Amino acid sequence: MINKAEKNITDVLSQIKDGATIMIGGFGTAGQPAELIDGLINLGVKDLVIINNNAGNGDHGLAKLLKTGAVRKIICSFPRQSDSWVFDELYHAGKIELELVPQGNLACRIQAAGMGLGAVYTPTGFGTLLAEGKETREIDGKHYVLEYPIKADFALIKASRGDRWGNLVYRKSARNFGPIMAMAADVTIAQVSETVELGALDPEHIITPGIFVQHVVQIQPASTESASAELSNTATTATA
């Protein structure tokens, strides 16, 4: 019987070792698997390569992980914002390496890994410093840059509901990078607010099929105050 539902975060995360490459879902704090990140911090692993849309907010979640010094390199599209002081301090001190990738290219390269593509040509970045040293090509009169897939050993993502087969549905904008990261990692660990019985999820609403998920960990829903804060942050990010 297939049962990917797990009860202990520590047991699930214990397979992550020093030097691992980890994708972490989230657009800012919306859809960020905060409890899985806390579990990763408690694990004490180091020399990590993290792939995320940004480089953390404030002193919690991803920023909290960076602050421990466990991250050797971060690949992201939006490292600098008003509350990214943890990353700023580490970067200016030469304690973390940054690979800056435009957001569309980041998504495209993750998708390429998930779909088994060898590489993709994208117009984004052509003629800029981001294209230096990379192969370029003119196709139908337009210039493109060759970009290679981004894959990971693990993906830590957050969904709204899941079943024991690993099928997932998301809540609104918390969906963001989760679905494509799940496809591009060797092992995907999803935290969910609710685990439901098989058949309870409408097949038409399932965004991430269980074939891409190895573990599902149910986390008690955040308080109303925390949920409101997340929605407020999402709205602010979108407006910005």
Side-chain angles (χ1 to χ4, degrees):
M1 181 178 69
I2 298 175
N3 188 357
K4 301 176 182 179
E6 309 282 356
K7 295 182 179 180
N8 191 300
I9 288 181
T10 303
D11 289 345
V12 174
L13 294 175
S14 63
Q15 60 192 298
I16 301 177
K17 306 300 180 184
D18 292 351
T21 298
I22 306 171
M23 291 180 176
I24 298 180
F27 187 85
T29 57
Q32 185 179 106
E35 286 77 9
L36 290 181
I37 295 173
D38 285 343
L40 188 61
I41 292 171
N42 293 335
L43 203 61
V45 291
K46 56 184 182 296
D47 198 34
L48 303 175
V49 176
I50 297 297
I51 301 154
N52 187 263
N53 180 62
N54 70 325
N57 304 86
D59 293 295
H60 54 272
L62 178 57
K64 185 178 178 182
L65 175 64
L66 297 183
K67 196 170 185 177
T68 67
V71 180
R72 172 178 62 83
K73 176 181 179 180
I74 187 164
I75 301 172
C76 70
S77 65
F78 196 60
R80 184 67 173 85
Q81 56 195 52
S82 62
D83 61 351
S84 60
W85 51 76
V86 173
F87 170 79
D88 280 1
E89 291 175 2
L90 291 171
Y91 186 73
H92 286 108
K95 295 181 179 179
I96 191 170
E97 180 182 349
L98 169 67
E99 180 179 339
L100 188 64
V101 182
Q103 190 174 78
N105 284 3
L106 181 66
C108 191
R109 292 175 65 186
I110 294 172
Q111 286 176 313
M115 296 177 181
L117 301 180
V120 292
Y121 279 103
T122 170
T124 305
F126 180 83
T128 72
L129 291 174
L130 294 177
E132 284 191 358
K134 297 180 180 179
E135 178 183 333
T136 61
R137 179 172 295 187
E138 183 176 338
I139 302 174
D140 290 334
K142 192 170 185 177
H143 295 284
Y144 294 84
V145 181
L146 183 69
E147 298 283 3
Y148 290 95
I150 297 175
K151 65 169 297 183
D153 302 311
F154 297 90
L156 306 183
I157 64 174
K158 179 181 179 180
S160 175
R161 296 188 295 159
D163 61 28
R164 65 176 175 84
W165 282 0
N167 297 310
L168 305 175
V169 296
Y170 302 82
R171 186 178 186 277
K172 300 182 178 180
S173 62
R175 172 174 167 177
N176 51 72
F177 282 85
I180 59 174
M181 286 182 170
M183 297 174 64
D186 294 333
V187 176
T188 295
I189 303 171
Q191 73 169 63
V192 298
S193 298
E194 181 184 6
T195 304
V196 301
E197 295 296 325
L198 292 178
L201 299 178
D202 184 338
E204 297 297 328
H205 295 168
I206 292 173
I207 303 300
T208 299
I211 192 172
F212 298 116
V213 178
Q214 282 66 49
H215 305 281
V216 177
V217 183
Q218 181 173 330
I219 303 295
Q220 291 301 317
S223 66
T224 302
E225 182 178 349
S226 298
S228 298
E230 177 172 321
L231 288 175
S232 175
N233 180 76
T234 305
T236 303
T237 303
T239 302

